[in-house]
Amino acid sequence: PAGPQIVLSVYGPDFFGHDVARGYGAVHVPFVPGRHKRTIAMFVPESTSRLQQLTSWFTGRRPEFTDPKVVAQGEGREVTRVRSQGFVTISFNVM
């Protein structure tokens, strides 16, 4: 379905207190009047090698998406390693 979307970027502290991406997700806004509940699968990008994973853990700098279009459209995401990171439930009241 086309149309407006809500793109979520959730951040929180890591073990060292650095503010890091905890998850990304997107959902289309419903057009039909009424109350709508959507559950959004969240994901985070992962480093592609063990060395990158170790380096990012020590430095506190983890892979992040800088362009929300990557999350909304999904283009280019098929070549990006991601890990499932839980769910967010959102409610819409459409008039």
Side-chain angles (χ1 to χ4, degrees):
Q5 294 184 65
I6 292 180
V7 175
L8 299 176
S9 299
V10 179
Y11 289 82
D14 66 2
F15 182 75
F16 299 108
H18 300 114
D19 203 25
V20 297
R22 292 294 193 180
Y24 298 97
V27 66
H28 286 274
V29 177
F31 285 110
V32 179
R35 185 179 184 110
H36 305 274
K37 189 173 170 182
R38 299 287 187 264
T39 300
I40 306 164
M42 303 297 285
F43 59 90
V44 290
E46 283 200 322
S47 299
T48 55
S49 74
R50 290 279 183 215
L51 180 59
Q52 286 176 332
Q53 289 173 356
L54 187 63
T55 302
S56 68
W57 189 82
F58 277 116
T59 62
R61 300 208 35 105
R62 300 197 177 151
E64 292 186 30
F65 292 123
T66 55
D67 187 354
K69 289 180 185 176
V70 174
V71 178
Q73 296 173 349
E75 289 178 19
R77 226 175 50 209
E78 66 276 359
V79 296
T80 305
R81 181 181 289 180
V82 296
R83 173 174 39 95
S84 178
Q85 193 67 13
F87 299 89
V88 169
T89 301
I90 188 169
S91 294
F92 296 94
N93 290 307
V94 180
M95 294 176 44

PDB file of all heavy atoms in Angstrom, residues 11-45:
ATOM      1  N   TYR A  11      15.887   5.138  20.268  1.00  0.00           N
ATOM      2  CA  TYR A  11      17.243   5.216  20.816  1.00  0.00           C
ATOM      3  C   TYR A  11      17.216   4.975  22.320  1.00  0.00           C
ATOM      4  O   TYR A  11      16.210   5.237  22.974  1.00  0.00           O
ATOM      5  CB  TYR A  11      17.861   6.594  20.534  1.00  0.00           C
ATOM      6  CG  TYR A  11      18.199   6.798  19.089  1.00  0.00           C
ATOM      7  CD1 TYR A  11      17.233   7.192  18.175  1.00  0.00           C
ATOM      8  CD2 TYR A  11      19.485   6.565  18.620  1.00  0.00           C
ATOM      9  CE1 TYR A  11      17.535   7.359  16.840  1.00  0.00           C
ATOM     10  CE2 TYR A  11      19.799   6.736  17.288  1.00  0.00           C
ATOM     11  CZ  TYR A  11      18.820   7.132  16.406  1.00  0.00           C
ATOM     12  OH  TYR A  11      19.124   7.275  15.083  1.00  0.00           O
ATOM     13  N   GLY A  12      18.333   4.487  22.841  1.00  0.00           N
ATOM     14  CA  GLY A  12      18.458   4.262  24.273  1.00  0.00           C
ATOM     15  C   GLY A  12      19.909   4.038  24.639  1.00  0.00           C
ATOM     16  O   GLY A  12      20.755   3.838  23.764  1.00  0.00           O
ATOM     17  N   PRO A  13      20.220   4.045  25.932  1.00  0.00           N
ATOM     18  CA  PRO A  13      21.616   3.889  26.366  1.00  0.00           C
ATOM     19  C   PRO A  13      22.098   2.446  26.226  1.00  0.00           C
ATOM     20  O   PRO A  13      21.335   1.506  26.422  1.00  0.00           O
ATOM     21  CB  PRO A  13      21.587   4.319  27.826  1.00  0.00           C
ATOM     22  CG  PRO A  13      20.178   4.081  28.265  1.00  0.00           C
ATOM     23  CD  PRO A  13      19.321   4.279  27.047  1.00  0.00           C
ATOM     24  N   ASP A  14      23.384   2.292  25.891  1.00  0.00           N
ATOM     25  CA  ASP A  14      23.996   0.963  25.866  1.00  0.00           C
ATOM     26  C   ASP A  14      24.667   0.708  27.217  1.00  0.00           C
ATOM     27  O   ASP A  14      24.493   1.474  28.168  1.00  0.00           O
ATOM     28  CB  ASP A  14      24.972   0.810  24.698  1.00  0.00           C
ATOM     29  CG  ASP A  14      26.203   1.703  24.802  1.00  0.00           C
ATOM     30  OD1 ASP A  14      26.351   2.439  25.808  1.00  0.00           O
ATOM     31  OD2 ASP A  14      27.025   1.671  23.869  1.00  0.00           O
ATOM     32  N   PHE A  15      25.462  -0.329  27.298  1.00  0.00           N
ATOM     33  CA  PHE A  15      26.142  -0.723  28.534  1.00  0.00           C
ATOM     34  C   PHE A  15      27.024   0.395  29.091  1.00  0.00           C
ATOM     35  O   PHE A  15      27.161   0.547  30.293  1.00  0.00           O
ATOM     36  CB  PHE A  15      26.980  -1.985  28.260  1.00  0.00           C
ATOM     37  CG  PHE A  15      27.698  -2.509  29.460  1.00  0.00           C
ATOM     38  CD1 PHE A  15      27.009  -3.195  30.452  1.00  0.00           C
ATOM     39  CD2 PHE A  15      29.062  -2.319  29.607  1.00  0.00           C
ATOM     40  CE1 PHE A  15      27.667  -3.681  31.572  1.00  0.00           C
ATOM     41  CE2 PHE A  15      29.726  -2.810  30.727  1.00  0.00           C
ATOM     42  CZ  PHE A  15      29.028  -3.489  31.711  1.00  0.00           C
ATOM     43  N   PHE A  16      27.614   1.193  28.186  1.00  0.00           N
ATOM     44  CA  PHE A  16      28.513   2.269  28.599  1.00  0.00           C
ATOM     45  C   PHE A  16      27.813   3.619  28.758  1.00  0.00           C
ATOM     46  O   PHE A  16      28.447   4.629  29.012  1.00  0.00           O
ATOM     47  CB  PHE A  16      29.655   2.419  27.586  1.00  0.00           C
ATOM     48  CG  PHE A  16      30.495   1.182  27.459  1.00  0.00           C
ATOM     49  CD1 PHE A  16      30.408   0.394  26.327  1.00  0.00           C
ATOM     50  CD2 PHE A  16      31.359   0.799  28.477  1.00  0.00           C
ATOM     51  CE1 PHE A  16      31.170  -0.748  26.204  1.00  0.00           C
ATOM     52  CE2 PHE A  16      32.124  -0.348  28.361  1.00  0.00           C
ATOM     53  CZ  PHE A  16      32.032  -1.129  27.227  1.00  0.00           C
ATOM     54  N   GLY A  17      26.499   3.656  28.546  1.00  0.00           N
ATOM     55  CA  GLY A  17      25.756   4.906  28.673  1.00  0.00           C
ATOM     56  C   GLY A  17      25.694   5.713  27.393  1.00  0.00           C
ATOM     57  O   GLY A  17      25.185   6.832  27.389  1.00  0.00           O
ATOM     58  N   HIS A  18      26.200   5.171  26.276  1.00  0.00           N
ATOM     59  CA  HIS A  18      26.110   5.864  24.987  1.00  0.00           C
ATOM     60  C   HIS A  18      24.702   5.733  24.435  1.00  0.00           C
ATOM     61  O   HIS A  18      24.077   4.682  24.560  1.00  0.00           O
ATOM     62  CB  HIS A  18      27.094   5.262  23.967  1.00  0.00           C
ATOM     63  CG  HIS A  18      28.523   5.338  24.379  1.00  0.00           C
ATOM     64  ND1 HIS A  18      29.270   4.230  24.656  1.00  0.00           N
ATOM     65  CD2 HIS A  18      29.337   6.407  24.577  1.00  0.00           C
ATOM     66  CE1 HIS A  18      30.494   4.592  24.997  1.00  0.00           C
ATOM     67  NE2 HIS A  18      30.554   5.916  24.960  1.00  0.00           N
ATOM     68  N   ASP A  19      24.211   6.793  23.821  1.00  0.00           N
ATOM     69  CA  ASP A  19      22.893   6.776  23.198  1.00  0.00           C
ATOM     70  C   ASP A  19      23.012   6.085  21.839  1.00  0.00           C
ATOM     71  O   ASP A  19      23.655   6.623  20.932  1.00  0.00           O
ATOM     72  CB  ASP A  19      22.385   8.214  23.037  1.00  0.00           C
ATOM     73  CG  ASP A  19      20.881   8.292  22.923  1.00  0.00           C
ATOM     74  OD1 ASP A  19      20.196   7.370  23.413  1.00  0.00           O
ATOM     75  OD2 ASP A  19      20.390   9.272  22.350  1.00  0.00           O
ATOM     76  N   VAL A  20      22.424   4.903  21.692  1.00  0.00           N
ATOM     77  CA  VAL A  20      22.551   4.127  20.457  1.00  0.00           C
ATOM     78  C   VAL A  20      21.177   3.756  19.919  1.00  0.00           C
ATOM     79  O   VAL A  20      20.186   3.749  20.652  1.00  0.00           O
ATOM     80  CB  VAL A  20      23.380   2.831  20.682  1.00  0.00           C
ATOM     81  CG1 VAL A  20      24.806   3.164  21.088  1.00  0.00           C
ATOM     82  CG2 VAL A  20      22.732   1.929  21.714  1.00  0.00           C
ATOM     83  N   ALA A  21      21.137   3.439  18.634  1.00  0.00           N
ATOM     84  CA  ALA A  21      19.886   3.011  18.002  1.00  0.00           C
ATOM     85  C   ALA A  21      19.457   1.676  18.580  1.00  0.00           C
ATOM     86  O   ALA A  21      20.221   0.718  18.604  1.00  0.00           O
ATOM     87  CB  ALA A  21      20.074   2.905  16.496  1.00  0.00           C
ATOM     88  N   ARG A  22      18.234   1.609  19.054  1.00  0.00           N
ATOM     89  CA  ARG A  22      17.675   0.372  19.597  1.00  0.00           C
ATOM     90  C   ARG A  22      16.770  -0.325  18.600  1.00  0.00           C
ATOM     91  O   ARG A  22      16.482  -1.506  18.741  1.00  0.00           O
ATOM     92  CB  ARG A  22      16.882   0.658  20.872  1.00  0.00           C
ATOM     93  CG  ARG A  22      17.732   1.105  22.017  1.00  0.00           C
ATOM     94  CD  ARG A  22      18.611  -0.023  22.408  1.00  0.00           C
ATOM     95  NE  ARG A  22      19.235   0.239  23.684  1.00  0.00           N
ATOM     96  CZ  ARG A  22      20.046  -0.606  24.244  1.00  0.00           C
ATOM     97  NH1 ARG A  22      20.323  -1.743  23.672  1.00  0.00           N
ATOM     98  NH2 ARG A  22      20.600  -0.320  25.382  1.00  0.00           N
ATOM     99  N   GLY A  23      16.287   0.426  17.607  1.00  0.00           N
ATOM    100  CA  GLY A  23      15.433  -0.195  16.605  1.00  0.00           C
ATOM    101  C   GLY A  23      14.868   0.807  15.626  1.00  0.00           C
ATOM    102  O   GLY A  23      14.744   1.997  15.928  1.00  0.00           O
ATOM    103  N   TYR A  24      14.561   0.299  14.431  1.00  0.00           N
ATOM    104  CA  TYR A  24      13.928   1.083  13.374  1.00  0.00           C
ATOM    105  C   TYR A  24      12.718   0.305  12.877  1.00  0.00           C
ATOM    106  O   TYR A  24      12.715  -0.926  12.890  1.00  0.00           O
ATOM    107  CB  TYR A  24      14.874   1.284  12.188  1.00  0.00           C
ATOM    108  CG  TYR A  24      16.128   2.050  12.516  1.00  0.00           C
ATOM    109  CD1 TYR A  24      17.319   1.390  12.801  1.00  0.00           C
ATOM    110  CD2 TYR A  24      16.124   3.437  12.522  1.00  0.00           C
ATOM    111  CE1 TYR A  24      18.477   2.089  13.084  1.00  0.00           C
ATOM    112  CE2 TYR A  24      17.280   4.144  12.811  1.00  0.00           C
ATOM    113  CZ  TYR A  24      18.453   3.462  13.090  1.00  0.00           C
ATOM    114  OH  TYR A  24      19.588   4.157  13.378  1.00  0.00           O
ATOM    115  N   GLY A  25      11.717   1.029  12.419  1.00  0.00           N
ATOM    116  CA  GLY A  25      10.543   0.388  11.853  1.00  0.00           C
ATOM    117  C   GLY A  25       9.676   1.416  11.150  1.00  0.00           C
ATOM    118  O   GLY A  25       9.857   2.624  11.327  1.00  0.00           O
ATOM    119  N   ALA A  26       8.739   0.934  10.341  1.00  0.00           N
ATOM    120  CA  ALA A  26       7.834   1.826   9.618  1.00  0.00           C
ATOM    121  C   ALA A  26       6.482   1.155   9.463  1.00  0.00           C
ATOM    122  O   ALA A  26       6.379  -0.078   9.421  1.00  0.00           O
ATOM    123  CB  ALA A  26       8.405   2.172   8.246  1.00  0.00           C
ATOM    124  N   VAL A  27       5.444   1.976   9.385  1.00  0.00           N
ATOM    125  CA  VAL A  27       4.086   1.475   9.177  1.00  0.00           C
ATOM    126  C   VAL A  27       3.311   2.504   8.360  1.00  0.00           C
ATOM    127  O   VAL A  27       3.515   3.716   8.509  1.00  0.00           O
ATOM    128  CB  VAL A  27       3.384   1.186  10.531  1.00  0.00           C
ATOM    129  CG1 VAL A  27       3.158   2.461  11.322  1.00  0.00           C
ATOM    130  CG2 VAL A  27       2.077   0.447  10.323  1.00  0.00           C
ATOM    131  N   HIS A  28       2.449   2.009   7.466  1.00  0.00           N
ATOM    132  CA  HIS A  28       1.583   2.898   6.695  1.00  0.00           C
ATOM    133  C   HIS A  28       0.431   3.370   7.583  1.00  0.00           C
ATOM    134  O   HIS A  28      -0.102   2.612   8.376  1.00  0.00           O
ATOM    135  CB  HIS A  28       1.027   2.182   5.471  1.00  0.00           C
ATOM    136  CG  HIS A  28       2.048   1.998   4.399  1.00  0.00           C
ATOM    137  ND1 HIS A  28       2.306   2.960   3.462  1.00  0.00           N
ATOM    138  CD2 HIS A  28       2.883   0.976   4.130  1.00  0.00           C
ATOM    139  CE1 HIS A  28       3.262   2.537   2.661  1.00  0.00           C
ATOM    140  NE2 HIS A  28       3.638   1.331   3.044  1.00  0.00           N
ATOM    141  N   VAL A  29       0.063   4.640   7.408  1.00  0.00           N
ATOM    142  CA  VAL A  29      -1.054   5.216   8.152  1.00  0.00           C
ATOM    143  C   VAL A  29      -2.346   4.784   7.469  1.00  0.00           C
ATOM    144  O   VAL A  29      -2.500   4.956   6.257  1.00  0.00           O
ATOM    145  CB  VAL A  29      -0.950   6.766   8.182  1.00  0.00           C
ATOM    146  CG1 VAL A  29      -2.141   7.375   8.892  1.00  0.00           C
ATOM    147  CG2 VAL A  29       0.348   7.196   8.850  1.00  0.00           C
ATOM    148  N   PRO A  30      -3.297   4.203   8.220  1.00  0.00           N
ATOM    149  CA  PRO A  30      -4.551   3.754   7.598  1.00  0.00           C
ATOM    150  C   PRO A  30      -5.424   4.939   7.148  1.00  0.00           C
ATOM    151  O   PRO A  30      -5.391   6.016   7.744  1.00  0.00           O
ATOM    152  CB  PRO A  30      -5.239   2.962   8.713  1.00  0.00           C
ATOM    153  CG  PRO A  30      -4.562   3.339   9.977  1.00  0.00           C
ATOM    154  CD  PRO A  30      -3.215   3.879   9.628  1.00  0.00           C
ATOM    155  N   PHE A  31      -6.187   4.709   6.067  1.00  0.00           N
ATOM    156  CA  PHE A  31      -7.089   5.740   5.535  1.00  0.00           C
ATOM    157  C   PHE A  31      -8.527   5.547   5.988  1.00  0.00           C
ATOM    158  O   PHE A  31      -9.322   6.463   5.968  1.00  0.00           O
ATOM    159  CB  PHE A  31      -7.073   5.721   3.999  1.00  0.00           C
ATOM    160  CG  PHE A  31      -5.839   6.308   3.399  1.00  0.00           C
ATOM    161  CD1 PHE A  31      -4.909   5.506   2.767  1.00  0.00           C
ATOM    162  CD2 PHE A  31      -5.596   7.666   3.465  1.00  0.00           C
ATOM    163  CE1 PHE A  31      -3.768   6.034   2.206  1.00  0.00           C
ATOM    164  CE2 PHE A  31      -4.451   8.210   2.915  1.00  0.00           C
ATOM    165  CZ  PHE A  31      -3.543   7.390   2.287  1.00  0.00           C
ATOM    166  N   VAL A  32      -8.892   4.356   6.387  1.00  0.00           N
ATOM    167  CA  VAL A  32     -10.271   4.028   6.750  1.00  0.00           C
ATOM    168  C   VAL A  32     -10.582   4.594   8.133  1.00  0.00           C
ATOM    169  O   VAL A  32      -9.808   4.385   9.078  1.00  0.00           O
ATOM    170  CB  VAL A  32     -10.461   2.485   6.751  1.00  0.00           C
ATOM    171  CG1 VAL A  32     -11.886   2.121   7.148  1.00  0.00           C
ATOM    172  CG2 VAL A  32     -10.109   1.908   5.395  1.00  0.00           C
ATOM    173  N   PRO A  33     -11.701   5.321   8.260  1.00  0.00           N
ATOM    174  CA  PRO A  33     -12.063   5.870   9.572  1.00  0.00           C
ATOM    175  C   PRO A  33     -12.215   4.772  10.617  1.00  0.00           C
ATOM    176  O   PRO A  33     -12.634   3.660  10.319  1.00  0.00           O
ATOM    177  CB  PRO A  33     -13.402   6.563   9.314  1.00  0.00           C
ATOM    178  CG  PRO A  33     -13.397   6.862   7.854  1.00  0.00           C
ATOM    179  CD  PRO A  33     -12.651   5.729   7.217  1.00  0.00           C
ATOM    180  N   GLY A  34     -11.866   5.123  11.848  1.00  0.00           N
ATOM    181  CA  GLY A  34     -11.994   4.191  12.963  1.00  0.00           C
ATOM    182  C   GLY A  34     -10.696   4.068  13.728  1.00  0.00           C
ATOM    183  O   GLY A  34      -9.730   4.786  13.493  1.00  0.00           O
ATOM    184  N   ARG A  35     -10.706   3.123  14.661  1.00  0.00           N
ATOM    185  CA  ARG A  35      -9.523   2.880  15.489  1.00  0.00           C
ATOM    186  C   ARG A  35      -8.748   1.711  14.882  1.00  0.00           C
ATOM    187  O   ARG A  35      -9.316   0.666  14.594  1.00  0.00           O
ATOM    188  CB  ARG A  35      -9.947   2.562  16.910  1.00  0.00           C
ATOM    189  CG  ARG A  35      -8.789   2.424  17.844  1.00  0.00           C
ATOM    190  CD  ARG A  35      -9.257   2.131  19.276  1.00  0.00           C
ATOM    191  NE  ARG A  35      -8.083   2.113  20.117  1.00  0.00           N
ATOM    192  CZ  ARG A  35      -7.793   3.036  21.010  1.00  0.00           C
ATOM    193  NH1 ARG A  35      -8.612   4.040  21.199  1.00  0.00           N
ATOM    194  NH2 ARG A  35      -6.687   2.956  21.721  1.00  0.00           N
ATOM    195  N   HIS A  36      -7.460   1.910  14.703  1.00  0.00           N
ATOM    196  CA  HIS A  36      -6.596   0.898  14.100  1.00  0.00           C
ATOM    197  C   HIS A  36      -5.377   0.686  14.993  1.00  0.00           C
ATOM    198  O   HIS A  36      -4.783   1.638  15.464  1.00  0.00           O
ATOM    199  CB  HIS A  36      -6.125   1.329  12.709  1.00  0.00           C
ATOM    200  CG  HIS A  36      -7.245   1.680  11.796  1.00  0.00           C
ATOM    201  ND1 HIS A  36      -7.905   0.741  11.040  1.00  0.00           N
ATOM    202  CD2 HIS A  36      -7.844   2.871  11.524  1.00  0.00           C
ATOM    203  CE1 HIS A  36      -8.840   1.335  10.336  1.00  0.00           C
ATOM    204  NE2 HIS A  36      -8.839   2.633  10.613  1.00  0.00           N
ATOM    205  N   LYS A  37      -5.034  -0.574  15.192  1.00  0.00           N
ATOM    206  CA  LYS A  37      -3.868  -0.932  16.000  1.00  0.00           C
ATOM    207  C   LYS A  37      -2.891  -1.663  15.090  1.00  0.00           C
ATOM    208  O   LYS A  37      -3.270  -2.592  14.381  1.00  0.00           O
ATOM    209  CB  LYS A  37      -4.311  -1.837  17.148  1.00  0.00           C
ATOM    210  CG  LYS A  37      -3.282  -2.126  18.179  1.00  0.00           C
ATOM    211  CD  LYS A  37      -3.963  -2.898  19.317  1.00  0.00           C
ATOM    212  CE  LYS A  37      -2.963  -3.444  20.281  1.00  0.00           C
ATOM    213  NZ  LYS A  37      -3.624  -4.210  21.344  1.00  0.00           N
ATOM    214  N   ARG A  38      -1.637  -1.217  15.076  1.00  0.00           N
ATOM    215  CA  ARG A  38      -0.611  -1.840  14.237  1.00  0.00           C
ATOM    216  C   ARG A  38       0.578  -2.211  15.113  1.00  0.00           C
ATOM    217  O   ARG A  38       0.990  -1.442  15.981  1.00  0.00           O
ATOM    218  CB  ARG A  38      -0.132  -0.886  13.136  1.00  0.00           C
ATOM    219  CG  ARG A  38      -1.209  -0.444  12.169  1.00  0.00           C
ATOM    220  CD  ARG A  38      -1.581  -1.575  11.228  1.00  0.00           C
ATOM    221  NE  ARG A  38      -2.483  -1.129  10.190  1.00  0.00           N
ATOM    222  CZ  ARG A  38      -3.809  -1.240  10.238  1.00  0.00           C
ATOM    223  NH1 ARG A  38      -4.381  -1.763  11.295  1.00  0.00           N
ATOM    224  NH2 ARG A  38      -4.549  -0.828   9.249  1.00  0.00           N
ATOM    225  N   THR A  39       1.127  -3.386  14.855  1.00  0.00           N
ATOM    226  CA  THR A  39       2.345  -3.825  15.524  1.00  0.00           C
ATOM    227  C   THR A  39       3.478  -3.745  14.512  1.00  0.00           C
ATOM    228  O   THR A  39       3.393  -4.312  13.422  1.00  0.00           O
ATOM    229  CB  THR A  39       2.194  -5.256  16.061  1.00  0.00           C
ATOM    230  OG1 THR A  39       1.109  -5.270  17.002  1.00  0.00           O
ATOM    231  CG2 THR A  39       3.458  -5.713  16.772  1.00  0.00           C
ATOM    232  N   ILE A  40       4.521  -3.013  14.869  1.00  0.00           N
ATOM    233  CA  ILE A  40       5.642  -2.755  13.968  1.00  0.00           C
ATOM    234  C   ILE A  40       6.833  -3.607  14.409  1.00  0.00           C
ATOM    235  O   ILE A  40       7.274  -3.516  15.555  1.00  0.00           O
ATOM    236  CB  ILE A  40       6.035  -1.262  14.002  1.00  0.00           C
ATOM    237  CG1 ILE A  40       4.816  -0.398  13.708  1.00  0.00           C
ATOM    238  CG2 ILE A  40       7.178  -0.983  13.048  1.00  0.00           C
ATOM    239  CD1 ILE A  40       4.995   1.053  14.077  1.00  0.00           C
ATOM    240  N   ALA A  41       7.332  -4.436  13.490  1.00  0.00           N
ATOM    241  CA  ALA A  41       8.552  -5.208  13.763  1.00  0.00           C
ATOM    242  C   ALA A  41       9.740  -4.272  13.668  1.00  0.00           C
ATOM    243  O   ALA A  41       9.936  -3.603  12.655  1.00  0.00           O
ATOM    244  CB  ALA A  41       8.675  -6.343  12.758  1.00  0.00           C
ATOM    245  N   MET A  42      10.519  -4.206  14.720  1.00  0.00           N
ATOM    246  CA  MET A  42      11.679  -3.320  14.764  1.00  0.00           C
ATOM    247  C   MET A  42      12.944  -4.113  14.418  1.00  0.00           C
ATOM    248  O   MET A  42      13.020  -5.315  14.646  1.00  0.00           O
ATOM    249  CB  MET A  42      11.815  -2.707  16.158  1.00  0.00           C
ATOM    250  CG  MET A  42      10.580  -1.946  16.620  1.00  0.00           C
ATOM    251  SD  MET A  42      10.175  -0.517  15.616  1.00  0.00           S
ATOM    252  CE  MET A  42      11.428   0.619  16.184  1.00  0.00           C
ATOM    253  N   PHE A  43      13.927  -3.423  13.870  1.00  0.00           N
ATOM    254  CA  PHE A  43      15.193  -4.053  13.494  1.00  0.00           C
ATOM    255  C   PHE A  43      16.319  -3.059  13.648  1.00  0.00           C
ATOM    256  O   PHE A  43      16.091  -1.847  13.698  1.00  0.00           O
ATOM    257  CB  PHE A  43      15.138  -4.587  12.057  1.00  0.00           C
ATOM    258  CG  PHE A  43      14.844  -3.514  11.044  1.00  0.00           C
ATOM    259  CD1 PHE A  43      15.867  -2.811  10.457  1.00  0.00           C
ATOM    260  CD2 PHE A  43      13.537  -3.200  10.700  1.00  0.00           C
ATOM    261  CE1 PHE A  43      15.608  -1.809   9.537  1.00  0.00           C
ATOM    262  CE2 PHE A  43      13.264  -2.205   9.786  1.00  0.00           C
ATOM    263  CZ  PHE A  43      14.304  -1.514   9.204  1.00  0.00           C
ATOM    264  N   VAL A  44      17.546  -3.560  13.748  1.00  0.00           N
ATOM    265  CA  VAL A  44      18.744  -2.720  13.806  1.00  0.00           C
ATOM    266  C   VAL A  44      19.761  -3.261  12.813  1.00  0.00           C
ATOM    267  O   VAL A  44      19.837  -4.472  12.595  1.00  0.00           O
ATOM    268  CB  VAL A  44      19.375  -2.674  15.216  1.00  0.00           C
ATOM    269  CG1 VAL A  44      18.511  -1.907  16.178  1.00  0.00           C
ATOM    270  CG2 VAL A  44      19.674  -4.053  15.742  1.00  0.00           C
ATOM    271  N   PRO A  45      20.549  -2.372  12.185  1.00  0.00           N
ATOM    272  CA  PRO A  45      21.615  -2.854  11.298  1.00  0.00           C
ATOM    273  C   PRO A  45      22.742  -3.464  12.127  1.00  0.00           C
ATOM    274  O   PRO A  45      22.970  -3.061  13.273  1.00  0.00           O
ATOM    275  CB  PRO A  45      22.079  -1.599  10.562  1.00  0.00           C
ATOM    276  CG  PRO A  45      21.675  -0.467  11.432  1.00  0.00           C
ATOM    277  CD  PRO A  45      20.475  -0.920  12.211  1.00  0.00           C
TER     278      PRO A  45
END
